[in-house]
Amino acid sequence: MAMSRSKRRAGVLLNVAGLVLFFVAFFAADLLARPVWLLGGMAVMLVVVVASFVATFWRTKLWHLVHRRSELLDEREMRVVHEAVNRSYAVFSVLCLALLLILLQFEPEVPPAGKVLLAGLIYLAHMLPAMFVAWSEREV
Amino acid sequence: MKGRHLYNRIAVLRRERGISRADLAEAIGVNVQTVGYLEREEYNPSLDLALRICEYFGLPVAMVFSARPMKALSQELMERRSDREE
């Protein structure tokens, strides 16, 4: 099913916003002894996430595109998916590491190993693509 | 490195021969949307795909793809003919 780019972008924003608000409500519910209105808000956010997923990613077959085996994609699709995975890796790495850094700040007694591990993960996230190229390519 | 814009006659050749996008897509082994991207010159094909397209239409690469804006096929044929006659 075709969908205009502006509608797809709106769907993506809605999906991410729904997910973020769901997690915020989840943590808030834990702090505020789970009031009913907050649980209701969580349910609404879950519906928003599922509905925007179905409309933006499932019906348009975008989800299928990025999860299909590469042998079943043509060269343009492969390039599109490759660029998307490339960007996703960068965004996901930054998000995870930033989250880890924030959690470490709130931890009262962080063992030194925790900070060393974080530094190691930052290095690994930065170097992994170059490591794969170094491992597999005959000439660079 | 950003590739340069490539011009092509895929849309003209396809319409001239009365072929649907779906048929062309199946014959050259790509998705229908990719044929649309190729026809709108929004995607530069690999050499392999370009050769498959040329083989399908039975034309040399220079008649289907160019790095410069392409003239109408009839005009180009007329010019080639007059070049030969001179």
Side-chain angles (χ1 to χ4, degrees):
Chain A
M1 193 178 116
M3 194 179 192
S4 70
R5 184 154 66 174
S6 56
K7 279 186 183 166
R8 270 184 277 133
R9 284 180 173 176
V12 170
L13 290 177
L14 208 60
N15 196 256
V16 173
L19 201 65
V20 169
L21 287 174
F22 176 82
F23 285 125
V24 169
F26 184 82
F27 285 113
D30 224 25
L31 291 173
L32 303 171
R34 296 179 186 164
V36 178
W37 61 270
L38 208 51
L39 295 178
M42 279 170 64
V44 170
M45 285 308 124
L46 210 56
V47 171
V48 168
V49 171
V50 172
S52 58
F53 169 80
V54 171
T56 314
F57 303 110
W58 190 263
R59 284 194 188 151
T60 57
K61 300 208 183 298
L62 271 174
W63 187 88
H64 307 78
L65 176 73
V66 295
H67 288 91
R68 207 175 293 156
R69 286 208 323 270
S70 60
E71 307 91 76
L72 300 175
L73 299 172
D74 70 34
E75 58 177 54
R76 185 191 63 83
E77 291 171 321
M78 239 188 281
R79 198 162 87 176
V80 168
V81 172
H82 173 78
E83 278 173 21
V85 170
N86 212 1
R87 285 183 189 177
S88 306
Y89 172 77
V91 171
F92 193 71
S93 302
V94 169
L95 275 179
C96 284
L97 294 171
L99 200 66
L100 209 58
L101 192 68
I102 291 166
L103 290 175
L104 281 179
Q105 299 305 314
F106 284 107
E107 196 64 40
E109 286 176 26
V110 181
K115 286 174 182 166
V116 173
L117 183 68
L118 181 66
L121 284 176
I122 291 171
Y123 173 78
L124 206 60
H126 186 68
M127 290 305 297
L128 262 178
M131 286 176 178
F132 273 106
V133 174
W135 189 267
S136 58
E137 290 303 303
R138 188 190 295 267
E139 283 177 41
V140 283
Chain B
M1 192 182 82
K2 198 171 182 292
R4 59 183 171 167
H5 184 92
L6 286 187
Y7 299 87
N8 70 65
R9 290 193 174 109
I10 298 172
V12 176
L13 292 167
R14 183 179 62 77
R15 273 189 235 114
E16 188 189 76
R17 294 167 195 220
I19 307 159
S20 71
R21 273 187 180 176
D23 289 341
L24 177 60
E26 200 185 330
I28 60 175
V30 297
N31 202 308
V32 183
Q33 281 94 339
T34 300
V35 173
Y37 274 88
L38 287 165
E39 289 188 352
R40 293 190 301 273
E41 296 170 344
E42 289 174 2
Y43 174 68
N44 289 350
S46 65
L47 180 60
D48 177 39
L49 179 56
L51 289 175
R52 263 184 279 151
I53 293 166
C54 294
E55 278 167 17
Y56 178 76
F57 288 119
L59 290 170
V61 176
M63 293 289 279
V64 185
F65 294 97
S66 170
R68 287 187 220 124
M70 299 185 94
K71 297 168 190 167
L73 253 176
S74 53
Q75 191 188 344
E76 189 164 321
L77 287 172
M78 287 294 284
E79 282 175 8
R80 283 188 184 202
R81 198 182 203 183
S82 56
D83 283 348
R84 272 204 301 266
E85 284 170 1
E86 279 172 13

